[in-house]
Amino acid sequence: MTQLIISTPQWSKSEPDLADYENDVLKKQQALLKKELAKIAEQELRETEHSKQECLRQFKLWIAQNEDIRKCILDDSFLLRFLRVKKFSIPMAQQTLLKYLNYRKRFPHIFLEMDYSETKVNELISNGYIYVSPLRDNKGRRVVIYDLSKFDPKKHTGTDMARAHAITYETLISNEENQILGLTHVADISGVNASFLTLFSVTDFAVLIRWGEQSFPMRHKEIHILNMPQALKYVFDFAKTHMSQKLKERFMVHDSIQNLFEKLDPRCLPKEMDGGAISSKTMIQAWQNELDDKRKRLLAIDDIELLSDRGIICSKNKELMNQQQANLVGSFRKLEVD
């Protein structure tokens, strides 16, 4: 596997001006990415210019002939997210597109009208519950930062949470560099308590996780969990039963920030997490600018229609899945007791 090592400058203790920071750091990172991106795409995704163009041609032809899909976005960047996540296997990319559209159809309250300026979602982004560092890690990946202490279950719903995640991820995968390199996640979950269990039903929680991995064309490369409460291990174990083995192996649970820094360059994190000199406020401001740039793009996805799910190939028996969910309800109840 190709490693893209990006070094970030050691800022002084005072926070740099946002404009200087963007000019200095981001431009240097972009220059490095352009040199290495094609090499990484070929080695990890089997992507060459020829394979890309030929697969796009076949994919567009299939969409045009598919009676169940209407008004699909046909620009290369949108379609490449499905091809890249399946390493240019056209049948698998077709299935992922169908599942993606069905996922959105199954949860319209989450995926329709994905507007970051919506009051509830914007509150979660503005207060630092979820945002993306403008600095990439040393493998060139964008870093999604979560601080669950900033989420108040008495004020926000599970739908608010899911919409904030959906808008964040959809914005990120609209960028081709992120499609190729994948994403790094860092979640401080010290603020989680039993009241979070009221946010989702067991069934919806399981479906969101399982369908999300199968349907959302995003490459999760590293998932770092920090400060996990002991009681939350029940929910974590439940969630992992609905993940692929590959995704399970990308989770890393850290008992200290120092342990996290052995795996991740701290300079891509805000100074409030003992990271670099950039504050979370500055990072959030930069992320909101990105969200604004992509806002119309995200809203345009609503125009795509999936008339039927008959083309989706199901890999598991629904009855067995429902039985497994019923058996694991006790884990959630135990957490409530604890």
Side-chain angles (χ1 to χ4, degrees):
M1 180 181 293
T2 302
Q3 294 288 319
L4 174 60
I5 305 300
I6 293 183
S7 61
T8 55
Q10 293 282 5
W11 294 100
S12 63
K13 290 185 178 180
S14 60
E15 182 173 2
D17 178 81
L18 182 60
D20 292 340
Y21 148 75
E22 288 177 334
N23 288 333
D24 187 2
V25 179
L26 297 187
K27 286 184 178 179
K28 288 179 180 177
Q29 288 193 344
Q30 291 298 325
L32 283 169
L33 280 172
K34 287 180 180 178
K35 290 181 180 179
E36 298 295 331
L37 214 54
K39 185 188 300 183
I40 293 171
E42 182 172 2
Q43 293 188 3
E44 293 192 16
L45 307 179
R46 301 196 293 264
E47 177 180 334
T48 64
E49 188 60 29
H50 173 75
S51 67
K52 180 171 73 174
Q53 295 305 324
E54 178 58 22
C55 287
L56 280 169
R57 184 190 68 79
Q58 293 185 41
F59 202 10
K60 290 177 182 179
L61 180 62
W62 174 81
I63 292 170
Q65 295 174 342
N66 193 305
E67 297 178 352
D68 295 329
I69 302 175
R70 287 185 182 174
K71 302 177 185 177
C72 189
I73 297 171
L74 293 176
D75 68 61
D76 291 355
S77 178
F78 180 78
L79 298 181
L80 280 168
R81 67 186 67 182
F82 302 100
L83 289 165
R84 284 172 170 144
V85 80
K86 293 303 178 183
K87 299 186 178 180
F88 287 84
S89 164
I90 294 175
M92 293 178 72
Q94 292 167 350
Q95 282 296 303
T96 304
L97 173 59
L98 291 172
K99 290 177 180 179
Y100 167 82
L101 296 176
N102 195 45
Y103 191 44
R104 289 172 52 86
K105 188 176 180 179
R106 169 69 172 78
F107 296 99
H109 55 293
I110 295 174
F111 294 103
L112 291 184
E113 298 181 7
M114 291 191 294
D115 188 346
Y116 87 96
S117 64
E118 173 190 312
T119 301
K120 291 290 188 179
V121 172
N122 196 36
E123 284 178 359
L124 291 175
I125 295 168
S126 298
N127 73 8
Y129 163 67
I130 181 171
Y131 59 98
V132 182
S133 172
L135 279 175
R136 296 176 180 270
D137 66 14
N138 62 1
K139 299 180 182 70
R141 302 172 190 145
R142 296 299 298 274
V143 180
V144 188
I145 300 169
Y146 313 80
D147 182 352
L148 272 72
S149 70
K150 302 297 177 61
F151 188 96
D152 183 355
K154 296 178 181 178
K155 185 177 181 181
H156 291 95
T157 66
T159 297
D160 298 333
M161 174 187 281
R163 284 178 65 78
H165 284 243
I167 290 168
T168 297
Y169 303 152
E170 194 73 56
T171 299
L172 286 168
I173 62 171
S174 66
N175 180 286
E176 292 196 37
E177 293 163 357
N178 299 332
Q179 293 173 13
I180 294 170
L181 297 170
L183 301 171
T184 294
H185 304 264
V186 178
D188 183 345
I189 61 174
S190 57
V192 174
N193 54 54
S195 64
F196 277 68
L197 290 176
T198 64
L199 296 173
F200 300 99
S201 71
V202 175
T203 300
D204 278 355
F205 183 66
V207 170
L208 280 168
I209 293 171
R210 188 174 62 87
W211 283 23
E213 183 184 356
Q214 295 176 359
S215 310
F216 209 82
M218 184 166 65
R219 303 181 71 212
H220 306 279
K221 301 297 287 185
E222 294 181 14
I223 305 168
H224 299 276
I225 307 295
L226 185 65
N227 299 323
M228 180 184 290
Q230 183 60 35
L232 195 65
K233 190 175 184 300
Y234 299 113
V235 176
F236 183 64
D237 289 343
F238 172 76
K240 288 177 72 174
T241 65
H242 293 274
M243 299 175 191
S244 67
Q245 186 61 34
K246 179 174 69 174
L247 187 59
K248 290 177 187 177
E249 292 171 354
R250 292 179 179 177
F251 272 86
M252 288 170 268
V253 179
H254 306 281
D255 56 11
S256 69
I257 195 74
Q258 289 74 25
N259 183 249
L260 169 65
F261 290 162
E262 291 176 8
K263 301 291 184 180
L264 184 73
D265 186 343
R267 288 172 292 182
C268 62
L269 297 178
K271 61 183 179 183
E272 291 86 349
M273 295 181 71
D274 295 330
I278 311 295
S279 68
S280 59
K281 180 179 178 180
T282 299
M283 289 188 173
I284 291 166
Q285 179 185 345
W287 176 236
Q288 287 174 318
N289 291 338
E290 287 190 56
L291 290 169
D292 193 59
D293 287 341
K294 300 292 185 181
R295 178 177 173 272
K296 291 182 180 179
R297 173 71 167 178
L298 266 62
L299 292 172
I301 301 174
D302 290 353
D303 293 336
I304 308 175
E305 297 178 36
L306 180 68
L307 304 183
S308 171
D309 63 359
R310 61 185 175 177
I312 296 174
I313 300 172
C314 297
S315 59
K316 290 186 178 180
N317 185 287
K318 288 185 178 180
E319 187 175 334
L320 289 176
M321 185 188 74
N322 290 337
Q323 181 61 46
Q324 183 186 34
Q325 290 171 2
N327 291 340
L328 287 165
V329 169
S331 294
F332 283 81
R333 289 177 178 162
K334 182 172 176 56
L335 177 56
E336 287 180 302
V337 172
D338 290 346

